[in-house]
Amino acid sequence: VNPLKGDEACVMVAVDQAGEVAVSLYDRTGRLVGREARTLSVGVAEFCWDGLRQSSAAVPAGIYLALVETPGWKELTRIIVAK
């Protein structure tokens, strides 16, 4: 669980194969609320979310899912937004 503290919640991603890495954020109904993708080399990268939808509107308090996708690997983690 990764709480949104202050202005943002961050997910650290270890990349063992160069390629596109994406973090997609979903609300409890499965709607996409945010996405960031980057082409990265091997190493560690940090993806941060400011608690805003893609439309720049603030999301309500609740539990959100972050799907982290790297070449050959996927993981789902939770982000809790408290207001």
Side-chain angles (χ1 to χ4, degrees):
V1 176
N2 191 355
L4 183 77
K5 295 178 182 173
D7 295 335
E8 59 187 23
C10 297
V11 176
M12 297 296 290
V13 179
V15 180
D16 61 1
Q17 296 178 40
E20 183 175 277
V21 176
V23 177
S24 301
L25 297 147
Y26 298 91
D27 67 14
R28 63 183 176 82
T29 67
R31 285 185 300 219
L32 182 68
V33 296
R35 184 174 193 279
E36 183 180 352
R38 299 183 215 154
T39 300
L40 300 174
S41 56
V42 174
V44 177
E46 183 177 53
F47 288 79
C48 294
W49 178 48
D50 58 6
L52 300 177
R53 295 182 187 276
Q54 291 177 324
S55 64
S56 297
V59 298
I63 297 174
Y64 294 82
L65 298 176
L67 175 61
V68 180
E69 298 176 274
T70 69
W73 177 76
K74 291 182 184 181
E75 183 174 316
L76 197 60
T77 187
R78 291 181 293 169
I79 295 176
I80 298 173
V81 175
K83 304 258 175 163

